[in-house]
Amino acid sequence: MFSLQISNLRETQQKLMEEQRQKEAVDLTPKLTLEEQQAKLEHDLLLKESQHPLDYLTLDYEHTYRWFAGKEEYSGHIYNSAKYATFMNFDIRLTFLSETKTALETRVFKLYKYCDPNGSVPFTIQAEAPSAYRHHRVEVIRAVPFQPE
């Protein structure tokens, strides 16, 4: 009986020592410096922005009719509100709408330019409008994140 108590006591002591070792397990990963933490954070934000370019792009424009060319002209800027990501190769969709705002015709124009973080890029597009058109919509529908080599 006495040896059984000693055996139980040893098992309990071993369990307690093992738990203590696990608690004291040292993380051998070196701590990041402040500069390294900042660089990692910037990299993570760049990845987040690059995965969802349309969340950071807006567009404004002016519409005029070019009488001599017989075309509608839309000129304006694409704005990039991302803090780290640069975007390029934009697809701009122009939709001509009827009086009831039903889509009559849609055209997509490519803009092969870079737009830096917190920057803008100008654009001008011209198109012949269908005869029943009364309204229009211009929007950025695609952009490619720039990845330096």
Side-chain angles (χ1 to χ4, degrees):
M1 172 135 159
F2 184 69
S3 65
L4 183 61
Q5 289 177 343
I6 293 175
S7 174
N8 286 342
L9 184 61
R10 284 187 188 152
E11 284 179 26
T12 305
Q13 188 177 19
Q14 286 176 348
K15 286 180 184 177
L16 288 172
M17 287 176 62
E18 182 62 32
E19 287 176 11
Q20 186 67 26
R21 270 190 238 123
Q22 288 177 354
K23 286 181 185 176
E24 293 174 357
V26 177
D27 183 8
L28 299 177
T29 306
K31 301 294 182 201
L32 296 176
T33 66
L34 194 55
E35 293 82 14
E36 290 170 332
Q37 290 174 6
Q38 180 70 24
K40 182 180 179 339
L41 177 62
E42 289 175 2
H43 181 263
D44 291 347
L45 288 172
L46 173 64
L47 287 177
K48 178 184 175 249
E49 291 173 353
S50 296
Q51 290 172 351
H52 304 285
L54 298 182
D55 292 348
Y56 301 94
L57 297 172
T58 56
L59 174 141
D60 75 354
Y61 64 92
E62 292 183 6
H63 167 241
T64 56
Y65 180 72
R66 297 293 176 200
W67 288 99
F68 294 115
K71 294 183 178 184
E72 306 291 328
E73 182 177 277
Y74 304 88
S75 59
H77 289 85
I78 297 172
Y79 297 96
N80 178 4
S81 64
K83 190 169 182 178
Y84 298 101
T86 296
F87 300 109
M88 63 182 191
N89 300 349
F90 303 92
D91 286 352
I92 301 172
R93 180 170 53 201
L94 169 60
T95 305
F96 293 104
L97 306 168
S98 70
E99 186 175 331
T100 61
K101 300 202 177 171
T102 301
L104 299 172
E105 190 175 315
T106 299
R107 295 192 189 146
V108 176
F109 298 87
K110 292 273 192 189
L111 180 64
Y112 295 103
K113 293 188 178 183
Y114 293 100
C115 190
D116 294 324
N118 296 312
S120 67
V121 61
F123 72 91
T124 299
I125 55 178
Q126 289 186 347
E128 291 183 18
S131 60
Y133 127 87
R134 296 290 176 266
H135 307 281
H136 58 267
R137 182 173 48 234
V138 181
E139 56 197 336
V140 177
I141 59 169
R142 183 174 173 273
V144 177
F146 172 70
Q147 298 182 355
E149 295 177 22

